[in-house]
Amino acid sequence: MVAGYSEIAKDMQALKAHPNIDDYESQRENWNWDSIWAELDTPNGLINQAHECIDRHALGERAEKLAMIWQSASGEIENYTYADMKRETDKVANAFRSAGIEKADRVFFLSDRIPELYFGVFGALKLGAIAAPLFSAFGPEPIKERVQRAEGKVIVTTPKLLAKVNAVRDELPSLETVIVIDHREGTEVDDRDVAWSAIVPNASEEFTIEQTGAEDWSIMHFTSGTTGLPKGAAHVHNTVVSHYATGKYVLDFHDDDIYWCTADPGWVTGTSYGMFAPWSNGITQVIDEGGYSARRWYETITKHQVTVWYTAPTAIRLLMKAGTDVARSHDLSSLRYVMSVGEPLNPEGVVWGLEAFDLAIHDNWWQTETGAIMIANYPVMPIRPGSMGRPFPGIHAAIIDDEGNELTTPMIEGQLAVKPGWPSMFRTYWNDQERYDSRFKNGWYLTGDKAKRDEDGYFWFVGRDDDVINTAGHLVSPFEVESALIEHEAVAEAGVIGKPDDVAMEIVKAFVTLNDGFANTRELLRSLNNHCRTRLGPAVAPREIDVIDILPKTRSGKIMRRLLKARELGLPEGDTSTLEED
Ligand code: ATP
Ligand code: MG
């Protein structure tokens, strides 16, 4: 347990539903992926993510159930039932076929969160093509790099974003077709491009899904770029088995839930949990085109009566910064379950959920490469603030040493590893098989993260391999130092690095941003220093603390420590394609 935080017992009342996972130990013991497969609709052993997420509901009892409640940036609402989703995605699949898209073609999506983005991804999956969503905020370079690496044949975009594609299209020999979603903006589309309005509205409303098996390619996601050059992790249709299972048992989907995932599909969370997990479970989800603001988010929860909410630590820290009273001034009583992913969730954040929503926030861990949640806090299990929770049933996670041997002694630090073979495991890094192969050792998939496991099987995140600090012989977790810093009333966010030092090898250096109403004064720094020394001890407390205006983050909201370090040391910044610049 992190010092100062006690275990949070489960409040079954708050859950307002009998949890799908009600006995973790026995469900783990008796886990069988085949029985999950049997809950899906897999005629003749074929499986297609679009069929699992849309058609099987549209052709069954959920046809008239709402699948998507879309809220535009300006607040208009459009509702789509599962039957609507089937019709729209069938039309898109036919239209895409008429535009020359074939099985295994890489189809990129560069679009804001509008319904056509979702229709497009599923239309591509119905064809057996590989869907590759990008952040709409990407500039021309990141777009070029990714399309080049994956030899993308098609880009689907909107008039507003087209100029960024045009800026690099001469350098993209594989790119044959640009499809422009024109009808919402009512723009003329250049002759060399294909207008959505010319191919989709009149397309047939019936499409027979391409025969895809478990190992056929489905989706490609570029990693967040937190530690270096983003890698194109490619997944297969079998991945939906994990999406379905984790949606059911970690996100605890019940048929009447209204779910909201705040992640953009440019990040894997926005597809695995913003498309596939909720829809394979046949539930209703809210999709908001708009960006973050505390008020907008709370109003969205109230307006749509959101029950299950999946967000990220960066957002939680922003909401904390906005103040508990802002949360309390909204009626958020519809919420019953809140989760977070993407970075370690500071214990302060877990506990703040109780203050703001009467609900502890459930952290869980996974990666682009794992395709779905691997380690989680569950509705039935007490939360140990600062822990990522325990492995998903059916997942064997371990702490291993450098030789790939499992370390079974509790609280020993090592590499977090997962036993290969789970359904949503990535199958390659596109055009970089060597790097893919290097991620496996002695029968383990190496995650590149350092962690520990306690005597009860809870996993504790220590840091990225590259981020762990070695100061005078102590191994220091940046996460632990950051968590201590943000407990201080003045600190909104913190990023901690190891700064090379002749004597200590590295010293702990912290960068912090301040909450409103606090100024960068000598007294403040003294108070921060005192707080850290008391909380962490002098060996681990940061030797240097700088106050800065903003921390560099990826578009998925992760603190880029490698950039803090490069800037501190005056070194080249490396790949910054995912840096959030707003
Ligand atoms: P890149 O691989 O390009 O450096 P990335 O690793 O940030 O980027 P993602 O696949 O989006 O790309 O993120 C996965 C990583 O995020 C994990 O390996 C882990 O380091 C971190 N992470 C995600 N969730 C958690 C969590 N709950 N606790 C701690 N770390 C987390
Ligand atoms: Mg990674």
Side-chain angles (χ1 to χ4, degrees):
M1 200 82 46
V2 174
Y5 292 93
S6 50
E7 189 168 275
I8 301 173
K10 281 300 166 151
D11 179 0
M12 287 305 179
Q13 215 79 35
L15 207 55
K16 296 182 195 156
H18 184 81
N20 292 328
I21 191 163
D22 53 8
D23 183 347
Y24 172 80
E25 299 295 349
S26 102
Q27 264 153 302
R28 187 171 162 70
E29 191 104 328
N30 300 310
W31 188 262
N32 179 356
W33 284 109
D34 291 343
S35 59
I36 296 291
W37 177 280
E39 290 178 36
L40 299 169
D41 182 26
T42 54
N44 304 321
L46 296 170
I47 185 163
N48 183 285
Q49 286 180 244
H51 177 74
E52 296 313 325
C53 292
I54 296 175
D55 290 20
R56 78 179 177 111
H57 307 304
L59 298 170
E61 286 173 3
R62 295 194 177 103
E64 296 312 317
K65 180 175 177 176
L66 275 186
M68 165 159 70
I69 302 172
W70 180 68
Q71 175 171 288
S72 78
S74 53
E76 287 108 331
I77 306 295
E78 291 177 14
N79 289 322
Y80 297 90
T81 62
Y82 278 96
D84 295 335
M85 294 291 289
K86 175 167 176 350
R87 193 182 56 248
E88 295 304 322
T89 55
D90 278 354
K91 279 161 65 179
V92 170
N94 280 312
F96 279 6
R97 181 166 279 164
S98 73
I101 302 179
E102 294 173 359
K103 192 170 179 182
D105 284 345
R106 270 77 67 205
V107 181
F108 279 81
F109 292 86
L110 180 76
S111 164
D112 291 333
R113 289 183 295 278
I114 54 175
E116 290 72 18
L117 166 61
Y118 296 79
F119 304 154
V121 166
F122 284 99
L125 293 173
K126 286 189 166 184
L127 270 172
I130 305 176
L134 300 171
F135 280 105
S136 60
F138 274 162
E141 274 306 307
I143 297 168
K144 185 187 85 184
E145 277 168 26
R146 287 161 178 74
V147 177
Q148 263 176 358
R149 191 119 41 93
E151 295 152 299
K153 176 167 158 184
V154 179
I155 301 181
V156 182
T157 189
T158 62
K160 196 178 77 180
L161 304 168
L162 181 61
K164 300 197 280 190
V165 175
N166 285 340
V168 291
R169 67 199 280 168
D170 290 348
E171 298 165 73
L172 296 171
S174 65
L175 182 64
E176 290 178 15
T177 309
V178 176
I179 299 175
V180 184
I181 306 170
D182 54 331
H183 61 289
R184 285 187 186 267
E185 294 173 46
T187 344
E188 284 282 310
V189 173
D190 200 283
D191 278 349
R192 67 176 167 168
D193 296 329
V194 176
W196 183 276
S197 62
I199 57 169
V200 177
N202 298 322
S204 159
E205 295 183 357
E206 292 298 329
F207 183 84
T208 307
I209 293 183
E210 181 76 30
Q211 298 208 339
T212 50
E215 291 301 313
D216 277 315
W217 298 116
S218 62
I219 190 141
M220 180 173 344
H221 252 294
F222 286 81
T223 59
S224 293
T226 315
T227 57
L229 193 69
K231 306 158 283 262
H235 291 274
V236 294
H237 281 278
N238 202 32
T239 197
V240 74
V241 176
S242 293
H243 296 150
Y244 170 77
T246 52
K248 181 170 175 180
Y249 293 113
V250 183
L251 284 74
D252 196 43
F253 287 146
H254 286 62
D255 221 16
D256 54 354
D257 273 323
I258 308 286
Y259 166 70
W260 184 29
C261 168
T262 57
D264 186 89
W267 179 31
V268 67
T269 305
T271 55
S272 290
Y273 295 96
M275 296 183 187
F276 306 125
W279 286 333
S280 60
N281 277 274
I283 65 155
T284 302
Q285 73 163 328
V286 174
I287 289 165
D288 183 21
E289 184 192 19
Y292 167 84
S293 102
R295 282 192 189 282
R296 182 183 180 98
W297 278 26
Y298 292 142
E299 280 162 12
T300 298
I301 291 170
T302 307
K303 176 164 187 172
H304 303 293
Q305 293 289 290
V306 171
T307 57
V308 177
W309 186 27
Y310 198 16
T311 189
T314 180
I316 292 163
R317 291 189 300 258
L318 285 172
L319 293 171
M320 287 167 73
K321 187 173 184 206
T324 309
D325 46 336
V326 183
R328 285 288 175 191
S329 68
H330 291 82
D331 177 7
L332 305 175
S333 56
S334 61
L335 280 179
R336 64 175 198 87
Y337 199 52
V338 187
M339 285 150 301
S340 154
V341 73
E343 286 187 295
L345 179 60
N346 315 93
E348 186 84 354
V350 177
V351 173
W352 179 75
L354 287 168
E355 268 173 51
F357 320 121
D358 298 318
L359 297 168
I361 299 172
H362 292 68
D363 188 14
N364 48 67
W365 178 96
W366 59 290
Q367 306 179 304
T368 311
E369 291 87 341
T370 68
I373 295 168
M374 297 282 107
I375 298 181
N377 287 284
Y378 303 89
V380 280
M381 203 180 281
I383 296 180
R384 301 187 170 176
S387 162
M388 329 192 267
R390 296 184 62 189
F392 185 71
I395 296 297
H396 183 165
I399 305 295
I400 61 167
D401 66 14
D402 291 344
E403 279 68 55
N405 301 310
E406 189 165 353
L407 298 168
T408 49
T409 317
M411 291 321 250
I412 298 283
E413 201 171 293
Q415 169 133 214
L416 177 59
V418 184
K419 194 62 57 186
W422 70 95
S424 63
M425 187 176 91
F426 71 138
R427 299 297 197 266
T428 194
Y429 285 128
W430 204 263
N431 277 339
D432 198 354
Q433 185 66 22
E434 210 174 306
R435 186 190 290 269
Y436 178 79
D437 293 338
S438 75
R439 299 293 295 261
F440 296 86
K441 188 176 199 174
N442 204 19
W444 292 102
Y445 163 66
L446 311 177
T447 67
D449 285 345
K450 284 231 151 60
K452 314 182 249 199
R453 183 182 43 201
D454 70 20
E455 62 286 2
D456 299 315
Y458 282 75
F459 282 72
W460 299 79
F461 183 79
V462 173
R464 311 288 188 128
D465 257 356
D466 304 343
D467 289 342
V468 175
I469 303 163
N470 188 341
T471 183
H474 296 275
L475 287 183
V476 176
S477 150
F479 169 54
E480 202 179 341
V481 181
E482 289 159 9
S483 293
L485 278 160
I486 71 166
E487 282 167 20
H488 190 284
E489 56 169 2
V491 177
E493 292 199 281
V496 168
I497 62 162
K499 181 176 170 184
D501 181 81
D502 285 345
V503 180
M505 190 148 139
E506 289 184 306
I507 59 159
V508 179
K509 167 139 195 177
F511 298 85
V512 298
T513 62
L514 299 182
N515 280 321
D516 295 341
F518 291 91
N520 179 6
T521 61
R522 209 175 280 180
E523 290 74 60
L524 175 74
L525 287 179
R526 200 171 307 131
S527 152
L528 278 176
N529 275 321
N530 286 341
H531 167 77
C532 288
R533 289 173 81 87
T534 319
R535 190 70 181 71
L536 300 165
V540 176
R543 279 261 287 280
E544 293 178 15
I545 301 178
D546 282 3
V547 175
I548 57 176
D549 290 336
I550 45 166
L551 286 172
K553 286 191 191 152
T554 65
R555 296 215 166 270
S556 43
K558 297 161 191 255
I559 298 167
M560 293 171 96
R561 294 177 193 80
R562 69 179 163 94
L563 233 60
L564 286 170
K565 193 160 180 170
R567 288 172 184 174
E568 174 71 20
L569 304 177
L571 296 171
E573 295 197 345
D575 184 273
T576 53
S577 63
T578 63
L579 179 67
E580 188 171 53
E581 283 137 278
D582 314 337

